[in-house]
Amino acid sequence: MLETMAELPHLLAAAIVIVIEWLIPLPFKYSPLRLCALLADAIALKVNKPGTERQRRISGFMSLLTYFVFVAVIVWSLLFVMPYDIWTEAVLLYISISYHSVSKVNKALEEALANKQNTLAKDYLSETASFDTKRLSSLGLTKGALEIEINAWVTTWLMPVVLFIALGGLASLAYRVLDIVTKQWLALNPKYSDFGLPITAIKTSFDWLLSALIAPIFSVFKSSPGWWSLFQRHKNKWPAEQSLIDLVWMSIVAAGCRIEMAGPTMFNDVKVPRLRINEGQKPNHGAIAQLRHWLARFTVFLLILILLFWFIGNFQN
């Protein structure tokens, strides 16, 4: 196994890209993948129309196929005129991960909350949130930032990196393309209810295996007693419009940071009910820094592990 890994340069390439993205993160609004979000919005504008639940779900699935055909044609056209080597794959990984740009925004949000500047904090959160932020309290802002932080780390860092190591740069890119359309057609948003359910179900099926393997290990890097109990307690009442994977990771964060997570949210002034995880815990904006440091420790751990396997594979006698 080590020999096979040593023959592939993906381990070292992944380590290099991880460090570069940490030091020089690429905000999503400047990423080429922003075009995928615009494409998803354009398709939904034409197809996401009123109808029965079944009609809207079929429409959402067919729109997803259309979206992937468009993206596949664009990507194939670009790769047709350029070599598909490890350097190209490294570039694909770099544009597929964008967690640290989100983390920088949340760090500024945390500082605004510490200075009692809630309006400024709402402006920061609105840069990365898909939900309404104008009516949020300090607790709501903290919970929103934590939810966005853990989701960004899982979907725009962890999954693309693991897929890059296992399957290459195109796999990382394909996952992010899937993640982007899931967020653009967020089924929890009443505007995309039913229409966004097929893509939510598809993405959840992709996320389960990795989350089942890594989430328990991640929880050890900060004491998170009872997170599995929180998940078990809420899973049957968790909205079908939101992935159970989100509940897994938010349960870990709620237990580790000792704070309430989730709860009702707003989209275009429409209130969407949602369970509160770890209900009743006092608000604490310091939890944002706790989670950021927690994620940093685990990221460093994975980086060292990647380099260790690469070193052993290349320099063993």
Side-chain angles (χ1 to χ4, degrees):
M1 178 178 178
L2 289 177
E3 290 179 0
T4 302
M5 296 175 74
E7 292 174 358
L8 299 174
H10 292 80
L11 287 174
L12 184 59
I16 293 171
V17 173
I18 287 170
V19 173
I20 292 175
E21 191 273 337
W22 201 330
L23 298 175
I24 314 173
L26 178 64
F28 181 68
K29 61 183 177 181
Y30 301 127
S31 170
L33 293 183
R34 174 65 179 160
L35 295 174
C36 294
L38 297 175
L39 174 62
D41 288 343
I43 293 174
L45 185 64
K46 292 290 186 181
V47 183
N48 183 25
K49 304 296 182 181
T52 65
E53 291 184 5
R54 185 172 182 273
Q55 288 173 335
R56 286 173 56 76
R57 292 181 185 184
I58 293 174
S59 178
F61 181 74
M62 297 306 295
S63 298
L64 178 63
L65 294 180
T66 303
Y67 167 81
F68 269 111
V69 168
F70 272 106
V71 173
V73 169
I74 294 170
V75 173
W76 181 85
S77 299
L78 292 174
L79 293 180
F80 184 75
V81 297
M82 59 191 301
Y84 187 68
D85 54 20
I86 189 60
W87 300 109
T88 301
E89 290 192 81
V91 170
L92 293 179
L93 176 60
Y94 179 70
I95 65 175
S96 297
I97 56 178
S98 58
Y99 159 68
H100 284 97
S101 62
V102 174
S103 185
K104 284 189 173 183
V105 173
N106 277 347
K107 185 176 181 180
L109 182 151
E110 179 198 356
E111 293 172 354
L113 286 175
N115 294 323
K116 310 296 184 183
Q117 297 174 306
N118 278 21
T119 301
L120 180 59
K122 292 174 185 179
D123 290 340
Y124 282 129
L125 188 61
S126 67
E127 292 183 23
T128 54
S130 58
F131 49 83
D132 295 347
T133 63
K134 58 186 177 182
R135 299 182 183 179
L136 293 178
S137 63
S138 59
L139 172 59
L141 290 166
T142 299
K143 292 196 301 180
L146 290 170
E147 183 172 347
I148 289 170
E149 183 101 11
I150 188 62
N151 180 269
W153 183 76
V154 172
T155 62
T156 71
W157 192 91
L158 180 63
M159 286 293 293
V161 168
V162 173
L163 287 171
F164 177 82
I165 293 172
L167 300 173
L170 274 178
S172 297
L173 183 67
Y175 178 83
R176 280 291 284 127
V177 167
L178 178 68
D179 176 60
I180 288 167
V181 72
T182 304
K183 291 172 179 174
Q184 295 303 118
W185 300 346
L186 191 65
L188 193 64
N189 184 341
K191 180 180 178 180
Y192 298 106
S193 61
D194 297 315
F195 182 83
L197 282 177
I199 181 60
T200 298
I202 291 171
K203 184 173 178 296
T204 298
S205 66
F206 277 107
D207 289 343
W208 261 119
L209 178 60
L210 187 62
S211 292
L213 292 173
I214 294 184
I217 303 172
F218 174 77
S219 68
V220 174
F221 279 71
K222 191 176 189 302
S223 178
S224 310
W227 73 266
W228 182 248
S229 297
L230 287 174
F231 171 74
Q232 291 288 336
R233 187 186 311 158
H234 296 302
K235 67 177 183 178
N236 292 329
K237 296 181 180 180
W238 192 247
E241 294 80 9
Q242 187 168 8
S243 172
L244 276 174
I245 300 299
D246 293 337
L247 177 59
V248 169
W249 290 99
M250 282 196 282
S251 295
I252 295 175
V253 173
C257 295
R258 278 69 171 175
I259 192 171
E260 179 181 296
M261 290 285 289
T265 188
M266 300 280 290
F267 294 93
N268 301 314
D269 294 322
V270 177
K271 187 175 183 179
V272 177
R274 194 171 56 156
L275 295 171
R276 289 181 170 88
I277 306 170
N278 215 14
E279 185 174 2
Q281 292 293 324
K282 294 181 179 179
N284 176 15
H285 61 78
I288 301 173
Q290 291 180 39
L291 179 57
R292 185 170 62 252
H293 297 154
W294 185 359
L295 293 172
R297 288 194 299 272
F298 196 74
T299 299
V300 170
F301 165 73
L302 290 179
L303 178 59
I304 292 173
L305 199 61
I306 290 169
L307 288 173
L308 181 62
F309 275 106
W310 177 83
F311 183 85
I312 293 173
N314 280 276
F315 297 101
Q316 65 178 340
N317 292 325

